[in-house]
Amino acid sequence: MAKEMIAMILAGGQGSRLYALTQKLAKPAVPFGGKYRIIDFPLSNCVNSDIDTVGILTQYQPLVLNEYVGNGQPWDLDRLHGGVHVLPPYQQASGSDWYKGTANAIYQNISFIDRYDPKYVIILSGDQICKQDYSDFLRFHKEKGAEFSVAVMEVPWSEASRFGLMVTDENDRINAFQEKPKEPKSNLASMGIYIFNWDVLKSYLIADEADPESENDFGKNVIPALLRDGRRMYAYRFAGYWKDVGTISSLWQANMEVLDPSHSGINLFDESWKIYSRNSGNPCQKIGADADIENSMVTEGCKVNGTVKDSILFPGVVVEKGATVEAAVVMGGTVIKAGATVKHCIVAENVTVEEGATVGAMPEGGCDIANPGDVATVGSGVRIGKGATVGPKAMVSNDVKDGEEQW
Amino acid sequence: MVSSNASALGVIFANTYDNLVPELVAERTMASIPFGGRYRMIDFVLSNMANSGIDNVSVIVRKNYHSLMDHLGAGREWDLTRKRGGLNIVPPFAERSVKMYSGRVDALASILSWISAQKEKYVILSDACIAMNFDFNKLIEEHVKSGADVSMVYNRSEIPEGARNDNYTVQIKDGRVTELLSNDYRPGVQNLAMNIYIMERESLIQLIRDASVRGLVYFERDILARNLNLLNVHAYEYTGYAARISDMKSYFDENMRLLEGDNVDALFDPANPIYTKIRDDNPSRYLTGSKVKNSLLADGCVIEGTVENSVLFRGCQVKKGAVVKNCVLMQDTVVEAGSSVEYVVTDKNVHITADKKLSGTESFPVFVAKNHTV
């Protein structure tokens, strides 16, 4: 049974700029928005766009991601034919290789894609926060009679040189591609989301693999090759919320923006485009008699008896009486004990912040979501000792002893 | 099957005691009454069974079971979607018994061929009107050790007001039930039956066949109570947390009791989780101006007003300036700006319009039925 379009999600990224948060898990598995993980966004977009066959390409610390995705049931991707498949590199008769680049990752899974005999393949990124209707993107691709389409965002001209840019004619046909140019000729930045006609993509992947000089990368090799050959390439303009949460400050920022959907443009509370996630199975959140919660998101299993302001608490977070949490992203299972202060920071899963400890600090001049500045970070499983201090610039991945300071 | 606990079959009666809470079962069964913010009554016994390795469970329903079927689906949330065993929902079989089941004997008689075809050595019978975290393995173990024909579960409890005409208590000597009283009304703490029974599958089949032939209806009154000399009925005491729904007042009180101390932890032991149907709500949002104290909230709520001493189910909204005190608000209840509700139980999808005042008392909470607008 042929599928019209299947999705391949590139989820192999280490996310090395998230340091302490990605020591034990791949970037797409990083928790986001109170009860989600980053991978929930492309997966939910797929099912909401009627794509029922998804391959997830992983290779870095895949354990958490594999378990999380499981059989795909939370996203309705447990299907008789298709569904979600996690695809790590594997050994073949001809030998085995890590995924050498984005294009090579797809190349190594040609036989997976061929099983579904799709007309189109959409290549997605597993590390972006974005709600996008891929069926609208496909409609555009078909209307243009394109062989390749790329989703693009208009960016301010002043920032254009930070991006991979698509130069187009008046019909959105691409006639040039500039990777982080000094003198941008366009302000249409590639979002790294592509639709290919599978027959075209397959032939280019095979040719690319045969070229020993190639870095086997879509942006560096495959797209320039398509351009060189004068293929029908189009740019699809996307105007919604899109964020690459590749750094601590952008991850913090995107979480804070969730609290303010009317201004930030990311609305997780949209019944018509739900983001699905695997449920934590916790009971209701318990709010104590001494709790004071404002402008925050709290989810199942949380126990709050302290002050929580402008923050996001993930499942099972405990905030004891007298503790203060402000402008913070506190991930699942973390305990913030009495009298501790947690501000302007990201605290990963299962951290214990002992009594009287301090993590992070509000920036001088107040909190500005658009310009986060320093965001303190505590890695998963860490214990911050009694009365210890973690400074606003600190990135902690080991225990901090009682009374110690880390800056 | 490998473990000994896998050798018990579960049978749950979804409609028992419907008559005690007519308001709540207008469009549902006792088993599908929402409880504790995000659960339904059947989640407790079903999760307890699943956590105890009982993975062949029949739910016997009599009427109003659409909401229950919708809730249970194929049993996936309880890990009961199985090829061998799993969840089995049994509606009345019109051709065989023209009248609806009136007692357990009738109900069991109607599924006797199914029970006969199973492989498990034991059968566990249970209602769905008590929320607790029950370890069925312990019951099986003690039952086997006791050598009794039947074991029945009780706890030390006063007889609930609402259950005065609908309860069983037991007198016990050396662990054996010597007397089984119907509709006990004595004051003080009694050995109150929890309507959980275990016996060998073969002996249940025999008991039901005999009773059915003689036109008997009630398992407790007609089978157990009459035969305490012949049947060795063992009494198993449950000492853990139990929330029993026996009328509207107890429904309200038991929701409220979850706000006290560590009762949430006692009922929702992380080692033995209670599973429920997933709705994929967002985390709850506490907007600027929200004041929430001593409350339980499920996901999907949006709070801009004041909430105190209350239990809010999934998707409730409390708008600006609204005050909710000592309330149980079921799924998707909306309290509009400036309204105040106190000692109120709202069923699903209730809409309290702006600037209304609605209050009951602690002894008589006001109930607003499903889909109503106030």
Side-chain angles (χ1 to χ4, degrees), chain A residues 99-140:
Chain A
Y99 293 147
K100 290 178 283 181
T102 50
N104 175 256
I106 305 294
Y107 171 83
Q108 290 201 35
N109 288 287
I110 285 177
S111 54
F112 169 82
I113 299 171
D114 272 341
R115 290 170 67 88
Y116 300 100
D117 190 21
K119 188 138 184 8
Y120 309 100
V121 174
I122 185 165
I123 310 288
L124 303 169
S125 160
D127 45 18
Q128 299 172 353
I129 301 298
C130 178
K131 279 165 53 183
Q132 189 181 1
D133 184 351
Y134 305 140
S135 63
D136 189 63
F137 186 12
L138 178 62
R139 189 187 45 75
F140 168 90

Coordinates of all heavy atoms in Angstrom, one line a residue, chain A residues 99-140:
Chain A
Y99 N 25.6 7.8 11.2 CA 25.1 8.7 10.2 C 26.1 9.9 10.1 O 26.4 10.6 11.0 CB 23.7 9.3 10.7 CG 22.6 8.3 10.8 CD1 21.6 8.4 11.8 CD2 22.5 7.3 9.9 CE1 20.6 7.5 11.8 CE2 21.5 6.4 9.9 CZ 20.5 6.5 10.9 OH 19.5 5.6 11.0
K100 N 26.7 10.0 8.8 CA 27.8 10.9 8.6 C 27.3 12.3 8.5 O 28.0 13.3 8.8 CB 28.5 10.5 7.4 CG 29.3 9.2 7.5 CD 30.0 8.9 6.2 CE 29.1 8.2 5.2 NZ 29.7 7.8 4.0
G101 N 26.0 12.5 8.0 CA 25.5 13.8 7.8 C 24.0 13.6 7.7 O 23.5 12.5 7.6
T102 N 23.2 14.8 7.5 CA 21.8 14.7 7.4 C 21.4 13.9 6.2 O 20.5 13.0 6.3 CB 21.2 16.1 7.4 OG1 21.9 16.8 6.4 CG2 21.3 16.8 8.7
A103 N 22.1 14.1 5.1 CA 21.7 13.4 3.9 C 22.0 11.9 4.0 O 21.3 11.0 3.5 CB 22.4 14.0 2.7
N104 N 23.2 11.6 4.6 CA 23.6 10.2 4.8 C 22.6 9.5 5.7 O 22.3 8.3 5.5 CB 25.0 10.1 5.4 CG 25.4 8.7 5.6 OD1 25.4 8.3 6.8 ND2 25.7 8.0 4.6
A105 N 22.0 10.1 6.7 CA 21.1 9.5 7.6 C 19.9 9.0 6.8 O 19.4 7.9 7.0 CB 20.6 10.5 8.7
I106 N 19.4 9.8 5.8 CA 18.3 9.4 5.0 C 18.7 8.3 4.0 O 18.0 7.3 3.8 CB 17.7 10.6 4.2 CG1 17.3 11.7 5.1 CG2 16.5 10.2 3.4 CD1 16.2 11.5 6.1
Y107 N 19.9 8.5 3.5 CA 20.5 7.5 2.5 C 20.5 6.1 3.1 O 20.1 5.2 2.5 CB 21.9 7.9 2.1 CG 22.6 6.9 1.3 CD1 22.4 6.7 -0.1 CD2 23.5 6.0 1.9 CE1 23.0 5.7 -0.8 CE2 24.1 5.0 1.2 CZ 23.9 4.8 -0.2 OH 24.5 3.8 -0.9
Q108 N 20.9 6.1 4.4 CA 21.0 4.7 5.0 C 19.6 4.1 5.3 O 19.6 3.0 5.7 CB 21.8 4.9 6.4 CG 23.3 5.1 6.2 CD 24.1 4.8 7.4 OE1 23.8 3.8 8.1 NE2 25.1 5.5 7.7
N109 N 18.6 4.9 5.1 CA 17.3 4.4 5.3 C 16.4 4.4 4.1 O 15.2 4.4 4.2 CB 16.6 5.2 6.5 CG 17.2 4.9 7.8 OD1 17.0 3.8 8.3 ND2 18.0 5.8 8.3
I110 N 17.1 4.4 2.9 CA 16.3 4.3 1.7 C 15.4 3.1 1.6 O 14.2 3.2 1.2 CB 17.3 4.2 0.5 CG1 17.9 5.6 0.2 CG2 16.6 3.8 -0.8 CD1 19.0 5.7 -0.8
S111 N 15.9 2.0 2.1 CA 15.0 0.8 2.1 C 13.8 0.9 3.0 O 12.7 0.4 2.7 CB 15.8 -0.5 2.4 OG 16.4 -0.3 3.6
F112 N 14.0 1.6 4.1 CA 12.8 1.9 5.0 C 11.7 2.7 4.2 O 10.6 2.4 4.2 CB 13.2 2.7 6.2 CG 12.1 3.2 7.1 CD1 11.4 2.4 8.0 CD2 11.7 4.5 6.9 CE1 10.4 2.8 8.7 CE2 10.6 5.0 7.7 CZ 10.0 4.2 8.6
I113 N 12.2 3.8 3.6 CA 11.3 4.6 2.8 C 10.6 3.9 1.7 O 9.4 3.9 1.5 CB 12.0 5.9 2.3 CG1 12.5 6.7 3.6 CG2 11.0 6.8 1.5 CD1 13.4 7.9 3.2
D114 N 11.4 3.1 1.0 CA 10.9 2.3 -0.2 C 9.8 1.4 0.2 O 8.9 1.1 -0.6 CB 12.0 1.6 -0.9 CG 12.7 2.4 -1.9 OD1 12.1 3.4 -2.3 OD2 13.9 2.1 -2.3
R115 N 9.8 0.9 1.5 CA 8.8 0.0 1.9 C 7.4 0.6 1.8 O 6.4 -0.1 1.6 CB 9.0 -0.5 3.3 CG 10.1 -1.3 3.6 CD 10.4 -1.5 5.1 NE 9.3 -2.2 5.7 CZ 9.2 -3.5 5.8 NH1 10.2 -4.3 5.4 NH2 8.2 -4.1 6.4
Y116 N 7.3 1.9 1.9 CA 6.0 2.6 1.9 C 5.7 3.2 0.5 O 4.7 3.8 0.3 CB 5.9 3.7 3.0 CG 6.1 3.0 4.3 CD1 7.3 3.1 5.0 CD2 5.1 2.3 4.9 CE1 7.5 2.5 6.2 CE2 5.2 1.7 6.1 CZ 6.4 1.8 6.8 OH 6.6 1.1 8.0
D117 N 6.7 3.1 -0.4 CA 6.6 3.6 -1.8 C 5.9 5.0 -1.8 O 4.9 5.2 -2.5 CB 5.7 2.6 -2.5 CG 5.7 2.9 -4.0 OD1 6.6 3.5 -4.5 OD2 4.8 2.4 -4.7
P118 N 6.4 6.0 -1.1 CA 5.7 7.3 -1.0 C 6.0 8.1 -2.3 O 7.1 7.9 -2.9 CB 6.4 7.9 0.2 CG 7.8 7.4 0.2 CD 7.7 6.0 -0.3
K119 N 5.1 9.0 -2.6 CA 5.4 9.9 -3.7 C 6.3 11.1 -3.2 O 7.1 11.6 -3.8 CB 4.0 10.5 -4.2 CG 4.1 11.3 -5.4 CD 3.0 11.0 -6.4 CE 3.0 11.6 -7.8 NZ 4.1 12.4 -8.2
Y120 N 6.0 11.5 -1.9 CA 6.7 12.6 -1.3 C 7.3 12.2 0.0 O 6.8 11.3 0.7 CB 5.8 13.8 -1.1 CG 5.0 14.2 -2.3 CD1 3.7 13.8 -2.4 CD2 5.6 14.9 -3.3 CE1 3.0 14.2 -3.5 CE2 4.9 15.3 -4.5 CZ 3.6 14.9 -4.6 OH 2.9 15.2 -5.7
V121 N 8.5 12.8 0.4 CA 9.0 12.6 1.7 C 9.2 14.0 2.3 O 9.8 14.9 1.6 CB 10.4 11.9 1.6 CG1 11.0 11.8 3.0 CG2 10.2 10.5 1.1
I122 N 8.8 14.2 3.5 CA 9.0 15.5 4.2 C 10.1 15.2 5.2 O 10.1 14.2 6.0 CB 7.8 16.1 4.8 CG1 8.1 17.5 5.4 CG2 7.1 15.2 5.9 CD1 6.8 18.3 5.7
I123 N 11.2 16.1 5.2 CA 12.3 16.0 6.1 C 12.1 17.0 7.2 O 11.9 18.2 6.9 CB 13.6 16.2 5.4 CG1 13.8 15.4 4.1 CG2 14.8 16.0 6.4 CD1 14.0 14.0 4.3
L124 N 12.0 16.6 8.5 CA 11.8 17.5 9.6 C 12.9 17.5 10.5 O 13.8 16.5 10.5 CB 10.5 17.0 10.3 CG 9.2 16.9 9.5 CD1 8.2 16.2 10.3 CD2 8.8 18.3 9.1
S125 N 12.9 18.5 11.4 CA 14.0 18.6 12.3 C 13.4 18.3 13.7 O 12.3 18.7 14.1 CB 14.6 20.0 12.3 OG 15.3 20.3 13.5
G126 N 14.2 17.5 14.5 CA 13.7 17.1 15.8 C 14.0 18.1 16.9 O 13.9 17.7 18.1
D127 N 14.4 19.3 16.6 CA 14.8 20.2 17.6 C 14.3 21.6 17.5 O 14.9 22.6 17.8 CB 16.3 20.2 17.8 CG 17.1 20.3 16.5 OD1 16.5 20.7 15.5 OD2 18.3 20.0 16.5
Q128 N 13.1 21.6 16.9 CA 12.4 22.9 16.8 C 11.1 23.0 17.4 O 10.4 22.0 17.5 CB 12.2 23.2 15.3 CG 13.5 23.3 14.5 CD 13.3 23.4 13.0 OE1 12.2 23.3 12.5 NE2 14.4 23.6 12.3
I129 N 10.7 24.1 18.0 CA 9.4 24.3 18.6 C 8.6 25.0 17.5 O 8.9 26.2 17.2 CB 9.4 25.1 19.9 CG1 10.3 24.4 20.9 CG2 8.0 25.3 20.4 CD1 9.9 23.0 21.3
C130 N 7.6 24.4 16.9 CA 6.8 24.9 15.8 C 5.6 24.2 15.6 O 5.5 23.0 15.7 CB 7.7 24.8 14.6 SG 6.9 25.4 13.1
K131 N 4.5 24.9 15.4 CA 3.2 24.2 15.1 C 3.0 24.5 13.6 O 2.9 25.7 13.2 CB 2.1 24.8 15.9 CG 2.0 24.2 17.3 CD 1.1 25.0 18.2 CE -0.3 25.2 17.6 NZ -1.1 26.0 18.5
Q132 N 3.0 23.5 12.8 CA 2.9 23.7 11.3 C 2.1 22.7 10.7 O 2.2 21.5 11.0 CB 4.3 23.7 10.7 CG 4.3 24.2 9.3 CD 5.7 24.1 8.6 OE1 6.7 23.8 9.2 NE2 5.7 24.5 7.4
D133 N 1.2 23.1 9.8 CA 0.4 22.2 9.0 C 1.1 21.7 7.8 O 1.2 22.5 6.8 CB -0.9 22.9 8.6 CG -1.9 22.0 7.9 OD1 -1.5 20.8 7.6 OD2 -3.1 22.4 7.7
Y134 N 1.7 20.5 7.8 CA 2.5 20.0 6.7 C 1.6 19.7 5.5 O 2.1 19.6 4.4 CB 3.2 18.8 7.1 CG 4.1 18.9 8.3 CD1 4.2 17.9 9.3 CD2 4.9 20.1 8.5 CE1 5.0 18.1 10.4 CE2 5.7 20.2 9.6 CZ 5.8 19.2 10.6 OH 6.5 19.4 11.7
S135 N 0.3 19.5 5.7 CA -0.6 19.2 4.5 C -0.7 20.5 3.7 O -0.9 20.4 2.5 CB -1.9 18.7 5.0 OG -2.6 19.7 5.7
D136 N -0.7 21.7 4.3 CA -0.7 22.9 3.5 C 0.6 23.1 2.7 O 0.6 23.5 1.6 CB -0.9 24.1 4.5 CG -1.2 25.4 3.7 OD1 -2.2 25.4 3.0 OD2 -0.4 26.3 3.8
F137 N 1.7 22.7 3.4 CA 3.0 22.7 2.7 C 3.0 21.8 1.5 O 3.4 22.2 0.4 CB 4.0 22.3 3.7 CG 5.5 22.4 3.3 CD1 5.9 23.1 2.1 CD2 6.5 21.9 4.1 CE1 7.2 23.2 1.8 CE2 7.8 22.0 3.7 CZ 8.2 22.6 2.6
L138 N 2.4 20.6 1.7 CA 2.3 19.7 0.6 C 1.5 20.2 -0.6 O 1.8 20.0 -1.8 CB 1.8 18.3 1.1 CG 1.7 17.2 0.0 CD1 3.0 16.9 -0.6 CD2 1.1 15.9 0.6
R139 N 0.4 20.8 -0.2 CA -0.5 21.4 -1.2 C 0.2 22.4 -2.1 O 0.2 22.4 -3.3 CB -1.7 22.1 -0.5 CG -2.8 22.5 -1.4 CD -3.9 23.3 -0.7 NE -3.3 24.3 0.2 CZ -2.8 25.5 -0.2 NH1 -2.8 25.8 -1.4 NH2 -2.2 26.3 0.7
F140 N 1.0 23.2 -1.4 CA 1.9 24.2 -2.1 C 2.8 23.5 -3.1 O 3.0 23.8 -4.2 CB 2.6 25.0 -1.1 CG 3.7 25.9 -1.6 CD1 3.5 27.2 -2.0 CD2 5.0 25.4 -1.7 CE1 4.5 28.0 -2.5 CE2 6.1 26.2 -2.2 CZ 5.8 27.5 -2.6

